[in-house]
């Protein structure tokens, strides 16, 4: 049995924690399992590296940022390999490139295209524990490329799929909760959650898992275990909805504070003009979320969308380009918003959920900027100062 483990930054923040992980991995190896380990950078190392770059310039080159950020995971893989070897286990560390992880896309936001697992399997056949740098691979130009925040989760699930193995993700929380317990202390831990629900929660801002990782799990049928304590299986299993016995109307609530809202006013909102805006977003690698506009044929219309806070510098460049293209246009970037979303596969078959959501807002005199819906979610863009309150009120309304 091949078991792929992933350890997040807080789990490997100190050499003491790395030694504890090494001892646990040794026990798994002693049970005749083949062990592959994916690790993140130690603690806040990635944040520190990003800060260093921004001390030099507010808009560092993204190719060089990938080169810089990839070094964090490389420290961890070497230290974990050294720890395992000190305990008498044969271990080897591999960068994303050495592990055969090929990527494509924009720097700092690449996607895994393929994994050539031959080298990994060779090391496993030789009895080694294989430790792989998460969050990174190599693109078509031979450059180091990173997968964006949470990319180590994606690395782990992709490797489990390529190796036909199990996937266990260890992080700083003991499973997936219906709401972030820091926002709503009465939140309940979820034992089983469907790929679709977890993907939606992750995409909408729940920080426990990366959406692409869950998407890969669903595509290749890799069940994903998420937990905290080594050896204690009391976390959450992400699996197919057919395997989940209990179906609640609302499974969870996500709160995403890492967003901006962009309002573009005084623009003829014809399709060609909307395309001109989105074309620039693609060019600069801006990840657009919720989109809304008031009229598809207004000469003095408005167009609005959300995107991550990290895209602010790119948005400012896009704003200048659009102002040159359109005579009267006004571009307002609002960083003081939060997205609160309710998610549940029960939304598909239950009437009146949206009415209950807006009744909560009405009863508490809370306004919103945008609303977005899917088959299994309803998302609200609200003022930043109201985000946690809205989440708490909805959690109480739907008993999650």
């Amino acid at each position: 049995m091949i078991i792929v483990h992933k350890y997040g930054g807080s789990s490997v923040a100190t050499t003491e924690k790395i030694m504890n992980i090494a001892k646990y991995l040794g026990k798994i190896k002693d049970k005749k399992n083949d062990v592959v380990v994916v690790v993140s950078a130690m603690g806040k190392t990635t944040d520190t590296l990003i800060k260093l770059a921004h001390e030099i310039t507010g808009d560092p080159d993204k190719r060089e940022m990938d080169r810089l950020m990839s070094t964090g995971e490389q420290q961890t893989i070497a230290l974990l390999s050294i720890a395992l070897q000190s305990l008498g286990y044969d271990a080897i560390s591999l960068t994303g490139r050495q592990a055969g992880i090929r990527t494509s896309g924009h720097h700092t936001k690449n996607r895994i295209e393929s994994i050539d697992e031959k080298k990994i399997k060779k090391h496993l056949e030789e009895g080694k524990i294989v430790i792989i740098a998460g969050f990174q691979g190599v693109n078509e130009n031979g450059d180091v490329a990173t997968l964006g925040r949470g990319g180590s989760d994606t690395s782990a699930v992709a490797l489990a799929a390529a190796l036909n193995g199990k996937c266990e993700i260890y992080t700083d929380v003991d499973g997936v909760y219906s709401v972030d317990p820091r926002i709503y202390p009465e939140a309940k831990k979820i034992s089983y959650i469907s790929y679709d629900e977890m993907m939606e929660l992750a995409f909408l801002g729940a920080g426990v898992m990366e959406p692409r990782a869950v998407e890969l799990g669903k595509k290749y049928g890799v069940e994903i275990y998420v937990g905290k304590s080594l050896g204690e299986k009391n976390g959450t299993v992400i699996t197919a909805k057919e395997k989940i016995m209990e179906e609640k109307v609302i499974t969870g609530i996500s709160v995403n504070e890492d967003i901006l809202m962009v309002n573009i006013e005084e623009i003829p909102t014809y399709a060609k003009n909307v395309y001109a805006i989105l074309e620039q977003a693609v060019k600069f690698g801006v990840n657009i979320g919720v989109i809304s506009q008031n009229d598809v044929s207004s000469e003095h219309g408005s167009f609005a969308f959300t995107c991550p806070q990290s895209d602010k510098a790119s948005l400012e460049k896009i704003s200048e380009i659009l102002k040159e293209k359109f005579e009267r246009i006004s571009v307002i970037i609002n960083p003081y918003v939060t997205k609160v979303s309710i998610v549940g596969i029960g939304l598909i078959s239950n009437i009146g959920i949206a009415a209950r959501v807006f009744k909560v807002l009405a009863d508490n005199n809370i306004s919103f900027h945008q609303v977005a819906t899917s088959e299994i979610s309803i998302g609200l863009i609200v003022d930043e100062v109201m985000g946690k309150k809205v989440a708490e009120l909805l959690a109480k309304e739907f008993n999650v």
Side-chain angles (χ1 to χ4, degrees):
M1 166 67 73
I2 296 176
I3 302 176
V4 178
H5 277 215
K6 179 263 177 176
Y7 294 95
S10 59
S11 301
V12 293
T14 65
T15 52
E16 181 183 2
K17 289 184 175 183
I18 289 172
M19 278 302 301
N20 288 336
I21 289 169
K23 291 172 184 175
Y24 177 59
L25 293 171
K27 293 177 182 177
I28 295 173
K29 181 63 179 173
D30 289 342
K31 294 178 182 177
K32 307 302 181 184
N33 293 299
D34 287 328
V35 183
V36 175
V37 191
V38 175
V39 292
S40 299
M42 296 175 67
K44 300 293 184 181
T45 297
T46 302
D47 290 335
T48 302
L49 293 170
I50 293 171
K51 183 180 178 183
L52 287 173
H54 281 271
E55 287 176 2
I56 296 172
T57 173
D59 187 23
D61 180 80
K62 286 185 167 53
R63 177 190 181 276
E64 302 309 327
M65 286 301 293
D66 269 356
R67 173 71 66 185
L68 178 65
M69 290 189 294
S70 69
T71 62
E73 283 72 20
Q74 292 174 34
Q75 292 178 13
T76 316
I77 59 173
L79 289 169
L80 183 53
S81 183
I82 290 167
L84 283 160
Q85 290 168 12
S86 74
L87 296 172
Y89 295 96
D90 196 0
I92 187 167
S93 63
L94 302 175
T95 65
R97 176 198 290 267
Q98 291 172 322
I101 299 174
R102 298 300 300 252
T103 69
S104 67
H106 293 276
H107 273 292
T108 74
K109 299 177 183 178
N110 261 227
R111 291 168 66 91
I112 294 175
E113 289 293 324
S114 64
I115 297 178
D116 183 352
E117 73 279 10
K118 291 192 289 294
K119 182 179 286 190
I120 300 170
K121 286 185 174 179
K122 181 177 181 294
H123 288 308
L124 291 174
E125 288 166 3
E126 293 170 353
K128 296 173 184 172
I129 296 174
V130 182
I131 306 145
I132 299 171
F135 176 64
Q136 63 186 260
V138 59
N139 67 16
E140 63 273 15
N141 297 321
D143 292 331
V144 174
T146 66
L147 307 176
R149 287 296 186 155
S152 292
D153 290 347
T154 307
S155 301
V157 177
L159 284 162
L163 297 167
N164 195 27
K166 294 173 61 179
C167 185
E168 299 179 5
I169 292 180
Y170 293 94
T171 181
D172 56 356
V173 295
D174 60 351
V176 178
Y177 279 78
S178 57
V179 193
D180 187 335
R182 293 170 297 183
I183 294 172
Y184 185 58
E186 296 174 37
K188 302 173 179 65
K189 185 162 65 176
I190 304 167
S191 298
Y192 291 89
I193 186 170
S194 72
Y195 293 119
D196 289 337
E197 289 171 315
M198 189 69 248
M199 207 182 315
E200 195 85 359
L201 281 169
F203 177 74
L204 294 170
V208 179
M209 283 291 297
E210 205 277 330
R212 175 66 174 154
V214 185
E215 180 186 351
L216 287 172
K218 179 181 180 181
K219 182 176 180 180
Y220 294 102
V222 177
E223 282 196 346
I224 305 166
Y225 171 80
V226 182
K228 182 177 183 179
S229 302
L230 300 179
E232 294 182 19
K233 292 296 188 287
N234 60 349
T236 301
V237 175
I238 306 168
T239 186
K241 65 181 180 182
E242 291 79 15
K243 295 186 179 182
I244 299 173
M245 299 298 290
E246 182 183 0
E247 183 180 310
K248 295 182 67 177
V249 176
I250 302 301
T251 299
I253 297 173
S254 73
V255 179
N256 184 4
E257 297 175 331
D258 181 31
I259 66 166
L260 299 164
M261 183 172 177
V262 182
N263 284 289
I264 300 175
E265 307 284 349
E266 290 296 318
I267 180 173
T269 47
Y270 304 117
K272 64 179 182 180
N273 295 336
V274 174
Y275 168 68
I277 297 168
L278 299 181
E279 182 184 31
Q280 292 299 325
V282 171
K283 180 180 177 182
F284 282 90
V286 173
N287 186 12
I288 289 181
V290 179
I291 297 175
S292 62
Q293 68 179 92
N294 64 345
D295 192 320
V296 295
S297 60
S298 172
E299 285 296 328
H300 305 286
S302 65
F303 180 82
F305 60 87
T306 60
C307 65
Q309 292 266 2
S310 57
D311 286 331
K312 189 170 187 289
S314 294
L315 286 169
E316 289 169 350
K317 292 177 183 177
I318 292 171
S319 175
E320 293 306 311
I321 292 170
L322 293 176
K323 286 176 182 177
E324 290 180 6
K325 185 176 179 65
F326 300 101
E327 186 177 342
R328 301 173 56 180
I329 196 171
S330 167
V331 180
I332 303 166
I333 300 172
N334 180 5
Y336 306 111
V337 294
T338 294
K339 184 173 185 179
V340 181
S341 306
I342 62 170
V343 174
I345 50 179
L347 273 169
I348 298 172
S349 56
N350 280 269
I351 298 171
I353 301 300
R356 289 171 65 183
V357 169
F358 287 100
K359 185 177 187 302
V360 167
L361 297 182
D363 288 347
N364 292 276
N365 196 29
I366 298 172
S367 60
F368 64 96
H369 296 284
Q370 285 180 295
V371 60
T373 63
S374 75
E375 273 194 329
I376 63 170
S377 73
I378 299 173
L380 301 165
I381 308 297
V382 298
D383 287 335
E384 182 181 62
V385 293
M386 298 305 298
K388 292 180 180 179
K389 181 175 178 62
V390 170
E392 183 177 333
L393 289 169
L394 291 175
K396 290 177 179 176
E397 172 67 22
F398 293 104
N399 190 30
V400 296

